[in-house]
Amino acid sequence: MPSNKPISIAILSFALFIAARGFAADGTNDIPFHQDKPPGPALSAGEAMAKMQLPPGFKIECVAHEPEVINPTSFTFDDRGRIWVTESFEYPRADAGPGQDRVKILESTKHDGNFDKITIFKEGLNIPCGIAIGNGGVYITNSPDILFLKDSSGSGHADSQQVILSGFGRADRHELPNSLTWGPDGWLYGMNGVFNDAHVSFDGKNYDFSCAVWRYHPTLKKFELFAQGTSNPWGLDYNRQGDWFVSCCVIDHLFHITQSGYYQRQGGPYPPQTHWLPSITTERHQMAAYAGLCVYDADNFPAEYRGSLLMGNLHGSALNRDTLTRKGATYVQHNAEDFAQANDAWFIPVSQKIGPDGCLYVLDWYDRYHCYQDANRDPKGVDRERGRIYRISYGDPPHYGAFDLQKSSTDELIKLLDHPNVWWRRTAQRILNEKFQPAMIPQLQQLALNTGDQNNGHMHALWLLVSQRAIDPQSHARLMESADAPTRNWAVRAIGEMGDVTDPIYAKLTALAADPSPDVRVQVAIAAGRLTKRDPWPLLQAMLHNPANADDPLIPSIIYSNLKPLLALRGSQISDLLDNDAVAQKNFDQSVVKWVHDAVSALLRTPQQTVAALGKHLDELANNPRRNIAADLEETIDGFANAAVAPAERAKYFDEAIRAKIVALVKKTGTARVPATTIALWWSDPAAIEEARRIIADKSQKAVTRAALLRGLAEKKDTGDIPAFAAFIEDATAPVLLRQQAVDALGAMDDAGAAAVLIEAYPNLTPLDLRPMTIDALVRTKSGASAVLDALKAKQIPVSQVNENQARAIANLNDPSLSDRLTHEWGSIRAERDPARAQLVEQYKKMITSHAAGDPAAGMKVFAARCAQCHTIYGKGGTVGPDLTGVGRDNLDLLLSNVLDPNLVVGKPYFQWIIRQKDGTVANGLLVEESERRVVLKDGSQQIIIPRDQIDRMKETTLSMMPEGLEKTMSEQEFVDLVAFLLTKQAPKP
């Protein structure tokens, strides 16, 4: 089942405190998670269809329902038009092993749309979530395994079983491997969710991943990750050009997936030096929880539907429709009118497929529970008696008759490649792929070049040739010269699939780096990364020499993704080549060039090499005064941070000659002054200190510039800067960014005087969210923690304003004296969540329902002050927690539970990590990167880079980064306004 781990203001999955919801023993008055009222009794299939709303001219009928279909999770059509469906009675069972789940074959013996013959093909499964027919059998996801089942005797029952892949997780049964789909290239594709770690070992390689699109080649016996990222992907399909799209639960619902791309994750750490790609979502539907995806390409629906994306909306009890427009090498999504509205909360459309008749078939799990929270709380309450398959048609088309494509001739199957219904095209292509003979090649090559066909037959012919690696050099050259961009695109993809080509074809490939189509150019970068016998660098360099690539929303990231694997062995060489490539620098200075330099610094380059490169650039400055030395200095700063060189260790790498040249830049005007000052602070140069203090005090300077130098001064931990930092904290007119930096700077000093300044300022801090930030800053060091405990004793700070996370930080300083004082002044740290929070939810619910209506516009300002440091909504905010825009925020109970009880349910990617360093300080945050050289945490708007060799201890907690007690930082009216804002469907106008 798709995971409805929606994300909340609490940086975790939306959760509901059950006791606060008033569940009745018999379930009749339940208000399940993510619903605003009891869903009512289950309807019969006929009653359910009577309530459904469809566009004019459309018709719905039920082709199978309970008891023939119960708890369906995935389905497909076979070569005879029969429906194969997986059923799960075991859901939401956690442990692996044999179970009661099964695969059924449904057949319409009278060909009247009533699937009246039921055959149980396989029993003993455990939450199967994906199914695909092929190679004389059926592929099934049955985590931790992907199975291949066959019926060798023709009995209709599986008599052999093979595990083709293993190692998928079961931590979250809504994010299991799913959506098995044959790709245009002959690979079998599937997906996996963000909260479900997989550890697949195959052909001597280990693949550790969570959210990803993966693929398996049954003939070549290969497994690989096609792309990574997103959330809980549960809908997978491709368009006429062969571009993949994924629908997701929770965060932005639609992604265009390109091979080798890494996409925004809902949560959890990215690999080191990852530059992720965003979704293509620009508009959102009723609620966020999507399942299934179908790119409609058939002749039953009106022409305007061809190419539309249809997907299930679980919480909206609807089928949504999206349309696409091009944007460079990628796409942009737009909402169309909803395709279907069930008006029945039990309707859960988990999968949608085009049938042999061109109609849309919809698999309905049909249950009052949409979400894992209810299923985990009340597994016996999961409905295990119902399930439906609907057929939605336009007009009154006939039901399809008897056929068996396995008995069709090669010529008949090739003719079907140009059928107006994509189901016939794809099925014919798959069977031809399985029965492929070299004698087919001439006919397929001729068809592949016939780009004037009506129904995309030329692409299916080309895909067959790509699948079989059966393109000869002469035909390949003609394909690469085609006037049709999708044909050229796949001619390039073929090179990536083959891994090598002849010299003439390689020369044409290099020339296509300047192709007018961005679709073709992006595939050149991907093909470069898949070459097995040639150096990919010349191809990628050719891509960097095309300025059109730099402006594309997709291409720079794909170039970098295919350069990154080279950096471990050739990073310094490639970095030097980029340093001497003026064209690449001009085009990609703030994207690929910078990313490569950052990665080399973080993954490979030593501090000595970083300084040597800077020295070379400083020498060049004498002969080339137009050189962008500011960028070189910024790169040096980033290099030391990426290499996790502790601030106290940086100065020793700079000799007197380089220091003198940097200090000379400090004394000049221009863009190099600020980064030069930052570096010169590393050896406490008097001129740099004076300049930094002058700039941060200058209100005419940009806040980001002042903040950068404030951080530079803070790293020195010089008590002489205490007055300057204190001035920012006390200045209510100063930018909040600077005040936050000043708070952090004083807290990091581990100095009693600096801590005293923060304690003294604490009662008068505004905005109020500076107060918890101040406590956060103090509890990282022993001096600061001691000052906090003194303030608690003296009642300068109320005990209620030190939250659980902050108390744990003090305990993790591992000082017995501080721990004893903590217990005496604050109390014991709970091992479990606070049950009193449930009462608080009810208390605030009564307050809000009896209060005058809140002002969403005012609440937007409260969100900006209290929540935007960690969360984005309507395009603005931080990235510690996921974007809340697409999350269902339509229920008061849910919002209050998340805002007031953030530790109720925490997804693993949002577990807080606590790191104690060897100098005794403590850092905490979300783990965003971990490598041999460094660990990176994210705390609010800042990243904390910690050298691996400076870590004394790392500990993962089950706590949310969002502390309890947010309500204490705002007035009653502010809280009411915040809730009003969070309940909006679109950003309110000021």
Side-chain angles (χ1 to χ4, degrees):
M1 290 291 291
S3 172
N4 304 312
K5 268 201 193 236
I7 314 103
S8 74
I9 191 81
I11 317 179
L12 46 88
S13 306
F14 260 130
L16 180 59
F17 186 63
I18 304 307
R21 299 303 303 275
F23 283 94
D26 61 1
T28 55
N29 294 319
D30 291 9
I31 303 179
F33 179 84
H34 228 301
Q35 300 179 49
D36 56 7
K37 60 184 179 181
L43 303 176
S44 69
E47 292 169 331
M49 287 190 293
K51 296 186 69 173
M52 289 188 185
Q53 294 174 282
L54 294 166
F58 283 87
K59 171 186 173 183
I60 188 166
E61 58 187 301
C62 188
V63 300
H65 57 77
E66 63 277 358
E68 285 79 20
V69 177
I70 299 173
N71 290 33
T73 56
S74 63
F75 76 124
T76 192
F77 291 87
D78 70 8
D79 309 331
R80 295 160 53 185
R82 299 180 301 176
I83 295 176
W84 294 56
V85 60
T86 59
E87 297 179 327
S88 180
F89 303 99
E90 296 290 353
Y91 165 79
R93 174 178 160 184
D95 60 301
Q100 306 175 72
D101 298 343
R102 58 198 183 188
V103 179
K104 281 181 176 177
I105 307 172
L106 281 59
E107 185 174 1
S108 178
T109 58
K110 300 178 181 178
H111 308 291
D112 58 358
N114 177 29
F115 285 75
D116 54 322
K117 181 181 178 181
I118 311 298
T119 304
I120 297 177
F121 179 77
K122 174 67 176 178
E123 294 183 290
L125 302 176
N126 188 344
I127 319 187
C129 294
I131 184 169
I133 303 294
N135 296 305
V138 59
Y139 297 86
I140 301 287
T141 69
N142 189 62
S143 192
D145 304 323
I146 310 299
L147 305 176
F148 180 56
L149 308 174
K150 290 188 72 172
D151 168 19
S152 303
S153 64
S155 66
H157 309 288
D159 53 26
S160 71
Q161 174 175 308
Q162 177 186 1
V163 176
I164 60 170
L165 294 169
S166 191
F168 292 89
R170 294 182 65 91
D172 188 327
R173 274 77 65 208
H174 303 78
E175 311 214 355
L176 298 172
N178 65 84
S179 301
L180 290 182
T181 305
W182 287 108
D185 46 24
W187 291 71
L188 183 63
Y189 286 73
M191 301 189 295
N192 194 74
V194 67
F195 294 98
N196 204 45
D197 291 342
H199 308 282
V200 176
S201 296
F202 190 84
D203 196 24
K205 296 182 180 179
N206 295 321
Y207 300 85
D208 297 327
F209 59 95
S210 56
C211 44
V213 177
W214 51 268
R215 65 180 191 168
Y216 169 77
H217 200 292
T219 304
L220 301 176
K221 299 294 187 292
K222 289 185 176 181
F223 174 84
E224 61 184 39
L225 299 181
F226 184 77
Q228 295 190 69
T230 78
S231 161
N232 174 26
W234 200 274
L236 180 66
D237 202 359
Y238 58 92
N239 64 6
R240 281 193 165 200
Q241 184 170 309
D243 288 336
W244 286 101
F245 299 89
V246 162
S247 68
C248 292
C249 277
V250 185
I251 61 174
D252 286 356
H253 70 277
L254 191 66
F255 288 79
H256 166 219
I257 301 295
T258 300
Q259 188 173 11
S260 77
Y262 205 114
Y263 293 80
Q264 179 186 10
R265 297 175 60 96
Q266 178 186 334
Y270 291 88
Q273 299 302 314
T274 295
H275 295 278
W276 51 262
L277 289 158
S279 77
I280 61 170
T281 304
T282 63
E283 298 177 278
R284 296 168 172 84
H285 301 281
Q286 313 91 318
M287 294 184 176
Y290 301 88
L293 181 67
C294 174
V295 180
Y296 187 81
D297 187 6
D299 52 350
N300 173 249
F301 288 10
E304 63 264 27
Y305 282 85
R306 197 179 286 269
S308 293
L309 282 71
L310 302 170
M311 66 203 79
N313 188 320
L314 308 190
H315 298 325
S317 300
L319 294 174
N320 296 142
R321 177 183 170 214
D322 282 350
T323 60
L324 301 172
T325 56
R326 293 309 307 249
K327 185 178 182 182
T330 185
Y331 297 80
V332 171
Q333 169 271 350
H334 305 282
N335 281 7
E337 287 189 26
D338 285 346
F339 181 65
Q341 175 54 249
N343 299 305
D344 177 9
W346 287 65
F347 178 64
I348 303 181
V350 294
S351 185
Q352 307 83 39
K353 305 276 186 185
I354 297 172
D357 50 10
C359 301
L360 184 73
Y361 287 75
V362 180
L363 194 67
D364 181 7
W365 168 263
Y366 206 75
D367 198 329
R368 62 190 175 124
Y369 290 162
H370 298 177
C371 290
Y372 79 107
Q373 288 94 339
D374 287 315
N376 287 344
R377 168 192 62 83
D378 181 25
K380 293 183 178 180
V382 173
D383 188 276
R384 304 185 195 279
E385 299 178 354
R386 296 173 178 83
R388 288 91 191 262
I389 303 176
Y390 295 108
R391 175 194 192 239
I392 300 178
S393 62
Y394 185 76
D396 195 17
H399 295 280
Y400 55 87
F403 64 88
D404 186 350
L405 289 182
Q406 287 292 337
K407 297 179 180 179
S408 298
S409 69
T410 297
D411 286 343
E412 289 171 332
L413 290 170
I414 289 177
K415 287 180 182 178
L416 287 176
L417 296 180
D418 199 42
H419 195 282
N421 178 352
V422 71
W423 183 87
W424 292 91
R425 301 202 303 268
R426 290 187 185 181
T427 306
Q429 180 188 330
R430 175 180 58 76
I431 296 172
L432 286 167
N433 208 12
E434 295 167 3
K435 298 181 176 182
F436 189 83
Q437 297 293 327
M440 302 177 189
I441 293 176
Q443 188 176 0
L444 291 173
Q445 288 183 157
Q446 183 179 1
L447 180 56
L449 288 166
N450 180 23
T451 59
D453 57 350
Q454 293 267 320
N455 293 305
N456 215 40
H458 72 286
M459 290 304 297
H460 288 273
L462 178 53
W463 291 339
L464 261 170
L465 294 170
V466 171
S467 298
Q468 292 294 327
R469 293 153 176 75
I471 306 177
D472 62 67
Q474 183 179 359
S475 296
H476 209 152
R478 294 181 65 191
L479 292 166
M480 296 176 81
E481 295 164 357
S482 172
D484 180 58
T487 298
R488 299 196 306 277
N489 175 315
W490 273 92
V492 175
R493 291 200 206 191
I495 296 171
E497 291 298 302
M498 291 186 291
D500 193 28
V501 287
T502 63
D503 289 344
I505 296 300
Y506 181 78
K508 288 184 176 294
L509 176 64
T510 304
L512 288 179
D515 193 273
S517 168
D519 294 325
V520 176
R521 298 197 305 270
V522 74
Q523 293 302 325
V524 173
I526 296 168
R530 297 183 65 79
L531 292 172
T532 57
K533 297 181 180 179
R534 295 179 184 267
D535 182 1
W537 167 249
L539 274 176
L540 294 170
Q541 187 177 35
M543 292 291 291
L544 294 172
H545 284 178
N546 186 344
N549 290 332
D551 297 328
D552 191 88
L554 174 63
I555 291 176
S557 291
I558 297 301
I559 293 175
Y560 174 71
S561 292
N562 288 278
L563 262 175
K564 188 178 173 185
L566 307 179
L567 300 183
L569 294 177
R570 300 172 55 190
S572 295
Q573 177 201 20
I574 291 172
S575 182
D576 290 343
L577 289 170
L578 288 175
D579 280 344
N580 293 298
D581 189 333
V583 177
Q585 286 189 7
K586 180 181 178 181
N587 294 338
F588 292 89
D589 63 323
Q590 291 304 305
S591 57
V592 179
V593 172
K594 182 181 187 305
W595 299 340
V596 167
H597 285 331
D598 286 349
V600 170
S601 295
L603 304 174
L604 190 67
R605 180 175 282 174
T606 65
Q608 291 92 334
Q609 290 171 323
T610 299
V611 174
L614 177 61
K616 178 182 176 183
H617 299 151
L618 288 168
D619 290 340
E620 293 172 359
L621 188 60
N623 299 320
N624 180 16
R626 297 184 64 183
R627 180 177 180 87
N628 188 359
I629 196 65
D632 297 323
L633 293 164
E634 293 283 5
E635 187 176 305
T636 301
I637 294 168
D638 291 343
F640 273 78
N642 290 331
V645 181
E649 298 293 315
R650 294 174 182 172
K652 68 182 184 183
Y653 296 102
F654 294 81
D655 61 28
E656 291 300 324
I658 291 182
R659 290 188 184 193
K661 292 175 183 177
I662 292 173
V663 172
L665 294 172
V666 171
K667 298 175 181 178
K668 292 182 179 180
T669 59
T671 57
R673 182 176 56 174
V674 170
T677 301
T678 300
I679 293 174
L681 287 174
W682 295 349
W683 55 83
S684 299
D685 179 81
I689 294 173
E690 179 182 351
E691 180 67 8
R693 289 175 176 171
R694 185 191 68 78
I695 291 176
I696 66 171
D698 184 355
K699 294 184 179 181
S700 68
Q701 296 284 344
K702 293 181 180 179
V704 66
T705 300
R706 299 165 74 193
L709 290 176
L710 198 156
R711 284 195 302 273
L713 285 173
E715 286 180 341
K716 292 174 12 52
K717 299 185 179 181
D718 185 345
T719 56
D721 290 315
I722 291 177
F725 299 161
F728 281 116
I729 296 171
E730 296 164 0
D731 181 3
T733 65
V736 172
L737 173 65
L738 287 178
R739 300 179 73 195
Q740 293 171 349
Q741 292 282 359
V743 166
D744 283 335
L746 289 172
M749 282 188 178
D750 199 7
D751 176 81
V757 168
L758 290 174
I759 296 296
E760 182 178 350
Y762 183 87
N764 300 315
L765 287 176
T766 56
L768 292 178
D769 59 318
L770 277 175
R771 293 184 185 177
M773 291 179 187
T774 298
I775 304 296
D776 285 342
L778 286 166
V779 298
R780 292 173 185 159
T781 67
K782 292 182 179 181
S783 295
S786 181
V788 169
L789 294 171
D790 287 342
L792 290 178
K793 183 176 182 180
K795 303 193 184 310
Q796 290 174 277
I797 296 176
V799 172
S800 62
Q801 292 185 16
V802 175
N803 63 50
E804 186 91 12
N805 290 353
Q806 293 158 347
R808 288 180 187 273
I810 295 175
N812 278 287
L813 288 167
N814 205 29
D815 184 306
S817 174
L818 291 176
S819 297
D820 289 344
R821 292 171 61 196
L822 176 68
T823 302
H824 186 266
E825 304 298 344
W826 184 84
S828 299
I829 298 173
R830 291 177 286 107
E832 304 293 338
R833 54 178 294 275
D834 184 0
R837 287 274 132 188
Q839 299 174 7
L840 193 67
V841 170
E842 282 299 289
Q843 175 187 332
Y844 269 75
K845 181 179 179 181
K846 291 178 182 177
M847 181 270 287
I848 287 175
T849 52
S850 63
H851 202 283
D855 179 356
M860 184 162 59
K861 295 180 180 179
V862 178
F863 182 91
R866 306 292 192 278
C867 314
Q869 185 182 21
C870 294
H871 288 281
T872 293
I873 192 168
Y874 302 131
K876 296 181 180 180
T879 58
V880 177
D883 189 332
L884 302 184
T885 311
V887 173
R889 292 173 281 105
D890 58 326
N891 185 287
L892 177 61
D893 288 312
L894 300 176
L895 285 177
L896 293 180
S897 179
N898 286 280
V899 173
L900 301 171
D901 197 6
N903 289 308
L904 177 58
V905 178
V906 187
K908 184 177 175 63
Y910 302 114
F911 286 171
Q912 182 179 176
W913 283 79
I914 299 175
I915 295 179
R916 187 170 67 238
Q917 301 182 64
K918 291 179 180 178
D919 64 3
T921 59
V922 171
N924 63 290
L926 295 182
L927 181 65
V928 295
E929 183 185 312
E930 185 174 9
S931 68
E932 293 181 359
R933 297 179 71 169
R934 67 182 194 167
V935 173
V936 181
L937 300 181
K938 194 160 195 175
D939 179 17
S941 61
Q942 67 175 346
Q943 284 195 341
I944 305 170
I945 300 175
I946 303 172
R948 174 70 75 173
D949 60 7
Q950 296 301 309
I951 295 175
D952 179 45
R953 182 187 179 196
M954 284 183 65
K955 180 181 179 182
E956 182 185 46
T957 77
T958 57
L959 296 174
S960 165
M961 276 293 293
M962 177 179 170
E964 295 173 352
L966 178 69
E967 73 282 358
K968 298 172 184 175
T969 68
M970 63 189 80
S971 67
E972 182 177 290
Q973 184 62 52
E974 286 177 321
F975 191 91
V976 172
D977 292 340
L978 173 64
V979 170
F981 169 65
L982 290 173
L983 290 171
T984 59
K985 302 294 185 185
Q986 58 187 4
K989 295 181 179 180

